[in-house]
Amino acid sequence: MDGCSSNDLGCPQLLDLISKDREWLVQKGEQRSRGSKSEEKKLELRLGPPGEDYGTKLEREGSILSLGYFSNHKDNTYTFGGFTNTGDMKTAENGWIMKNNGSQNQQFSFTEKFQSNNNAEKKVFSSAAAASANPAVVPNSSQKRTAPAPVVGWPPIRSFRKNLVSSSSSKPVPESPNEVPNKVSSEKTAQSCGKGFFVKINMDGVPIGRKVNLKAYDSYEKLSSAVDELFRGLLAAQRDSSAGGIHHKQEGEKLITGLLDGTGEYTLVYDDNEGDRVLVGDVPWHMFVSTVRRLRVLKTSELSTLCLGIRQEKTRLDAASK
Amino acid sequence: MREDRPPPPPSRGGAYSPPPPDQVLENVLEHVLQFLTFRRDRNAAALVCRSWHRAEALTRSELFIGNCYAVAPRRAMERFRRATAVTIKGKPRFADFNLMPPDWGANFTPWVTSMAQCYRALEKLCLKRMFVTDEDLELLASFPSFRELVLICCDGFGTSGLAVVASKCRKLRVLDLIEDEVTDDEIDWISCFPEGETCLESLIFDCVECPIYFEALERLVARSPSLKKLKLNRYVSIVQLYRLMIRAPQLTHLGTGSFSPSEIVAQGDQEPDYSSAFDACRSLVCLSGFREIVPDYLPAIYPVCANLTSLNFYGEACFLCLQVLDTVRDAGLQAVGATCKDLRELRVFPIDAREDSEAPVSDVGLLAISEGCRKLQSILYFCQRMTNAAVIAMSENCPELVVFRLCIMGRHLPDHVTREPMDEGFGAIVKNCKKLTRLATSGLLTDRAFSYIGQYGKLVRTLSVAFAGDSDTGLKYVLEGCPRLQKLEIRDSPFGDSALRSGLYRYYNMRFLWMSSCRLTRRGCKEIAQQMPHLVVEMINGEEEEVKEDYVDTLYMYRSLDGPRADAPSFVTIL
């Protein structure tokens, strides 16, 4: 802390503080590496006695606490304060057990399950006993001080603000579940919600995208007919509105066929997890489901002009259909 | 309650017969009640008698729904038939911090569906923490008089929904997107505004994490002579900002985007004169942005700093700002205290939001602010360490405080100098700041802190508690002591069924109670549900399978006129 410099300032000149900024930026970089080192230290499995300094400069209450981590095990239960989404709890290293040596009652009840599958949604909840004190403990006792095991939702900062921090600086994303990883728009288009796997789907000529639940289908044929149903009406409405007429008739809706084999007016393609655009139907269904991030229904006539397999630059900006 | 007035008596032979006296009274009432704007006044007027209730309902133009599940859309709209401005709030605030699984609810669709029938003349809509789909936006865009859309902390929609709003709402004046999650559908929605002059007055999209087509934005700004508020996202470089400011010197609120050059800056080019651009914006009173700030460009804003009364800012080095990242450090806050004598609101966010990190702001900064900014009304302050003395000083120096939110990021941290709990500091706040309505606590707190809150916090409406207290007594102090309490959110504190029961008679007067990771049992919650039929008691579980623990993960309960909701997901149990 450069609190000592505060007394020198008196009446700060604006420019002085500007030049200090560069120092701050440099220091910040150092801090970060310090911070991440201490973070890494905490992740180590320790066999020695508790009470080490974790490398942070903050004063801690005594040396009563120790940390360790265990590989995820279904029988182990851990405590966290709240829920987490898929992206937050990436690896098993985020599991913590906290022991309070000094306290009489060491039986904190941890109430959580870990799922070893990274893709599955990890829902985490906590029990009251973990962080809060046992009523028998004297309030001022340092036993209340828990080591900084990451807790979901604490500090209470919206992911929007966290993202701007991590995007404006180039440090690596820390492993704390507290931090939401950098948002990548392709990740947002695929949401896994336990029983459903929703993927955004857009169709050429239709400004409003839709979402399909891929878990509801088990084959490309079913997906294709679902897409047809989804967009048939919309497409007809688009045609009507662009033709200037208002038809509310069902016969105006044409079936959308030939999505998979190139014979129809439209073809189904998808963006995969590597950013490539691929024709739907080439790989086995389960492989498709595991790599798909977003679906698109494109005009077959325009397919040859696209470079399938090369990710379109995100900075390419179309003036969209108006 | 009848909405319709009794029909007028039939006139005889064309002669004018005066309306009956009670109808005259109602006409007069309606005329008079139109002048009532404050919600609280209107609610009071509606309780006088039946005809006042009716007249008030017909004259209320702004409808505020504090909890979207407290009333069914149809019921609200049938009572207030002539509302043209609607505000709806959905999820509780702790949902912002991942304390609630996704898909919990707060869907806007049922509301917009009812509005399509009852509120075709809708003009203004403000939604907070609601789930809004592109289809909802599309429906909204079809309302002929619709002109103001404000979405705060919402999600569920993308740029395709924005495109429809932009293109179809011909009278759109306000499009404010504040801290929403907007999906990138790769549609250039800015281009979707119709050609020709627009009536845009406010365009806020700093949260939209999608690139935009700058030329379209520039043309839009050029043809929007009424534009006063413009907040850009980080895809707008400082060079582009300059071009926009040149076109819109009438701006009063500016969000500067990245405030750094994009990569493609040719070396030999002359840099624009940013300083004069800022200087030309004579009316600027609110400055924010600086998302990727390069400090070299900061001097450009000096001309406007003197005029600024309100600054919001994410950035690394600006120090005259209300909303800063803590890289300004205590020294920077001292500068703020020294220069911003009229500061009303300050928010200091951490650049490194972990509990154990080195935070550059502390009690020193807080003290400096309190000594310099005596008119402070609202403060949100993240820090790693704090002292009671600094907090007490703030309570004494800033008696105008209405909102005091202190987040000491390390859980259970005591005063770092005296090692005592932070009870006395927070106690002083509630005692000395007599106008305080919102309080958020942190640090090591015992039940004593809550006794202070219960004793002195007579105006407190919103209270946030985390990792605090010793026993049920703490919560009892609050529930029994704070008569105006509306919103209470608690996490990870040792409060149990007995405390919950003690507030039984309060819950109908509160908007909601949130308690997560406390010591409530299912049985305790069920008791409440049984005794309070108009309370919706939701138990929200982390796992979809049955909860194996004794304690309830999350209790979220709220009053409702229409009983439990029908759209609860599987992980929610309504008792």
Side-chain angles (χ1 to χ4, degrees), chain B residues 142-417:
Chain B
S142 71
F143 292 12
S145 314
F146 192 64
R147 56 179 219 227
E148 267 189 41
L149 180 62
V150 178
L151 298 175
I152 308 172
C153 303
C154 296
D155 65 323
F157 63 100
T159 47
S160 48
L162 296 180
V164 177
V165 170
S167 68
K168 284 209 195 155
C169 296
R170 297 281 149 160
K171 298 189 182 173
L172 196 66
R173 294 192 200 173
V174 172
L175 180 57
D176 289 352
L177 304 166
I178 301 170
E179 304 200 11
D180 306 303
E181 276 203 31
V182 183
T183 324
D184 184 2
D185 302 326
E186 295 178 13
I187 281 189
D188 178 30
W189 57 283
I190 297 275
S191 307
C192 295
F193 283 95
E195 291 299 325
E197 211 172 85
T198 76
C199 20
L200 269 181
E201 296 172 11
S202 173
L203 181 62
I204 295 181
F205 64 97
D206 50 341
C207 65
V208 179
E209 291 285 304
C210 320
I212 56 157
Y213 185 38
F214 177 72
E215 275 68 29
L217 176 62
E218 192 176 16
R219 282 198 300 272
L220 179 65
V221 171
R223 64 182 196 272
S224 304
S226 314
L227 193 66
K228 292 281 193 293
K229 301 186 186 180
L230 179 64
K231 297 201 179 179
L232 310 162
N233 68 8
R234 64 182 176 92
Y235 288 92
V236 179
S237 72
I238 192 170
V239 177
Q240 293 169 333
L241 168 68
Y242 173 80
R243 281 160 64 175
L244 291 175
M245 288 179 73
I246 297 290
R247 293 201 176 272
Q250 76 280 6
L251 287 176
T252 59
H253 294 64
L254 177 66
T256 62
S258 70
F259 213 66
S260 75
S262 54
E263 300 81 346
I264 339 156
V265 167
Q267 269 305 335
D269 282 357
Q270 180 146 20
E271 295 245 61
D273 186 359
Y274 298 116
S275 196
S276 68
F278 273 94
D279 199 24
C281 290
R282 290 272 142 200
S283 322
L284 213 55
V285 292
C286 177
L287 196 60
S288 67
F290 306 97
R291 297 286 297 271
E292 289 159 14
I293 192 173
V294 173
D296 301 22
Y297 292 102
L298 256 192
I301 72 167
Y302 294 165
V304 287
C305 282
N307 298 335
L308 290 172
T309 56
S310 158
L311 294 172
N312 285 337
F313 164 73
Y314 313 87
E316 296 196 24
C318 193
F319 42 85
L320 287 179
C321 299
L322 278 183
Q323 188 165 299
V324 302
L325 287 184
D326 61 2
T327 42
V328 305
R329 295 181 172 256
D330 284 335
L333 291 177
Q334 283 166 331
V336 175
T339 49
C340 299
K341 297 297 177 190
D342 286 334
L343 205 64
R344 299 282 195 269
E345 180 180 335
L346 173 69
R347 295 184 174 200
V348 182
F349 291 99
I351 193 162
D352 192 1
R354 289 177 302 173
E355 289 185 54
D356 59 328
S357 57
E358 296 265 345
V361 300
S362 69
D363 48 291
V364 176
L366 191 71
L367 184 62
I369 293 290
S370 77
E371 284 171 350
C373 309
R374 298 295 174 111
K375 301 186 189 172
L376 199 64
Q377 293 174 347
S378 169
I379 182 166
L380 169 60
Y381 197 87
F382 284 85
C383 59
Q384 284 288 352
R385 50 191 202 166
M386 187 49 60
T387 61
N388 280 309
V391 178
I392 293 172
M394 174 155 270
S395 77
E396 290 167 352
N397 293 334
C398 305
E400 301 294 311
L401 273 179
V402 173
V403 172
F404 183 78
R405 298 160 68 190
L406 176 64
C407 181
I408 306 169
M409 292 196 282
R411 288 164 284 150
H412 306 301
L413 271 185
D415 179 321
H416 76 91
V417 168

Side-chain angles (χ1 to χ4, degrees), chain B residues 17-65:
Chain B
S17 43
D22 53 340
Q23 192 167 340
V24 171
L25 186 57
E26 285 212 18
N27 290 345
V28 170
L29 252 183
E30 285 185 26
H31 280 293
V32 169
L33 287 179
Q34 271 164 9
F35 292 100
L36 275 186
T37 47
F38 291 122
R39 205 159 74 228
R40 213 171 292 168
D41 295 337
R42 286 197 152 265
N43 292 343
L47 292 176
V48 168
C49 64
R50 208 167 278 189
S51 68
W52 279 55
H53 186 99
R54 202 158 48 223
E56 192 283 313
L58 288 174
T59 55
R60 189 181 292 219
S61 59
E62 292 178 9
L63 179 59
F64 176 84
I65 308 282

Side-chain angles (χ1 to χ4, degrees), chain A residues 49-51 63-66 98-106 108 143:
Chain A
S63 49
I64 306 180
L65 301 163
S66 69
M98 299 186 302
K99 273 196 238 172
N100 191 331
N101 290 347
S103 161
Q104 294 290 331
N105 306 323
Q106 291 192 21
F108 290 95
Q143 290 160 358

Side-chain angles (χ1 to χ4, degrees), chain A residues 166-183:
Chain A
S166 45
S167 63
S168 65
S169 52
S170 51
K171 62 174 177 169
V173 177
E175 289 195 333
S176 158
N178 219 4
E179 308 257 357
V180 178
N182 275 329
K183 280 190 223 169

